[in-house]
Amino acid sequence: MPLDLPRVIGHRGTPKRAPENSLAGFALAAEAGVTWVELDVQLSADLVPLVYHDHYLQRISDGVGHTIELNWDYLRERDIGVKFSPEFAGQKIPHWDEVLDLLVERRLGVNIEIKADDPRGAITAEIGLEHALAKWPADLAPPLVTSFSRIAIETSRDAAPAWPRGLVAHALPEDWREFCARTGCATIHISHESLTQEQVKAIKDAGYAVLSYTVNELELAEKLWGWGVDSVFSDRPELLLG
Ligand code: G3P
Ligand code: MG
């Protein structure tokens, strides 16, 4: 199935309306007409795959500590809703399998970001993709697998060779042509804060799709689309969808 990207991808769901990377947020995104979401897969200390962005618990959960040093038994009980709004109290850090079930049920496309520093990118991609491959149906667009971790991208090439993959970076790295060719990337994801029109042209001319994050204003999205950017990640996907 060819990579058919939407112009707008919900960044961690729809995080202005519901807690980021939560089951409630992914469901709300689907209900609002968002067709693809981006999310962050990482591992607990005991190697359970879960969906959560930060390395630390403090910002959005009721816990403390470093996710990769804590076991799933502790992480699974962490409330990620109450700090967002009392209305979302009881939302827990989701297991990756729970999110996969919801995505499949809602027929949502997904950009799986493997969230780990190297060298943990390898095992995070291995386990995260093993779970995704077990649940993803053949009649849904294959997930797009991305990471800042180069080891995670290399691992995803071996673990899910038929699924498209991409490199994420704040700024376009000097060796992007060599790295993306060697690892068979389909996409390159760059922060709008550093991306230039010339870079978009060079990346597109080289045959890759260009995605940019995190774009929360329509004017900025329109400028990027005008440059040839294929998709933008947004905290306000409904706004950009019009
Ligand atoms: O892939 C786009 C974006 O999600 C990358 O940054 O920190 O939000 O995971 P971050
Ligand atoms: Mg992310």
Side-chain angles (χ1 to χ4, degrees):
M1 214 181 279
L3 182 57
D4 185 15
L5 291 166
R7 296 218 303 170
V8 181
I9 297 175
H11 181 236
R12 310 178 198 168
T14 179
K16 297 286 188 200
R17 296 181 59 209
E20 64 181 57
N21 284 325
S22 69
L23 292 172
F26 297 129
L28 261 183
E31 281 155 26
V34 175
T35 57
W36 273 61
V37 292
E38 181 266 0
L39 50 79
D40 306 283
V41 172
Q42 54 175 302
L43 300 179
S44 61
D46 50 347
L47 305 183
V48 175
L50 51 98
V51 177
Y52 192 78
H53 176 270
D54 293 5
H55 291 319
Y56 290 91
L57 289 175
Q58 290 84 323
R59 181 176 63 91
I60 58 167
S61 90
D62 61 351
V64 289
H66 195 186
T67 51
I68 63 169
E69 293 170 355
L70 295 162
N71 283 340
W72 174 238
D73 275 356
Y74 176 78
L75 293 171
R76 72 186 305 174
E77 295 304 328
R78 302 287 55 83
D79 187 303
I80 54 167
V82 72
K83 278 189 181 170
F84 183 88
S85 150
E87 180 195 344
F88 290 99
Q91 284 291 309
K92 299 289 169 65
I93 293 178
H95 191 291
W96 179 212
D97 283 344
E98 291 179 280
V99 177
L100 282 162
D101 287 341
L102 183 147
L103 297 173
V104 172
E105 188 194 319
R106 302 280 182 151
R107 299 193 65 79
L108 271 170
V110 66
N111 171 199
I112 303 171
E113 186 191 334
I114 303 296
K115 185 62 88 185
D117 294 331
D118 289 336
R120 199 173 164 88
I123 191 158
T124 308
E126 210 171 282
I127 294 174
L129 293 176
E130 186 188 331
H131 284 248
L133 284 160
K135 286 192 177 278
W136 204 258
D139 66 342
L140 254 186
L144 170 60
V145 183
T146 60
S147 193
F148 288 93
S149 156
R150 292 187 172 216
I151 293 174
I153 295 168
E154 285 164 5
T155 304
S156 73
R157 174 194 54 197
D158 301 331
W163 285 1
R165 68 198 78 90
L167 173 67
V168 191
H170 180 73
L172 189 66
E174 277 188 16
D175 66 343
W176 66 272
R177 289 177 189 275
E178 183 278 328
F179 179 80
C180 292
R182 182 167 58 78
T183 53
C185 283
T187 62
I188 299 182
H189 306 211
I190 303 295
S191 168
H192 73 82
E193 292 171 3
S194 72
L195 189 65
T196 66
Q197 189 168 7
E198 292 67 34
Q199 287 174 340
V200 173
K201 183 175 183 327
I203 298 168
K204 301 281 293 183
D205 286 350
Y208 302 100
V210 185
L211 294 84
S212 190
Y213 63 93
T214 304
V215 178
N216 294 333
E217 304 300 333
L218 186 57
E219 199 180 344
L220 175 59
E222 283 176 342
K223 181 183 86 172
L224 294 166
W225 291 326
W227 288 356
V229 167
D230 295 275
S231 307
V232 296
F233 296 93
S234 182
D235 293 335
R236 304 163 77 190
E238 306 90 339
L239 173 83
L240 303 193
L241 285 168

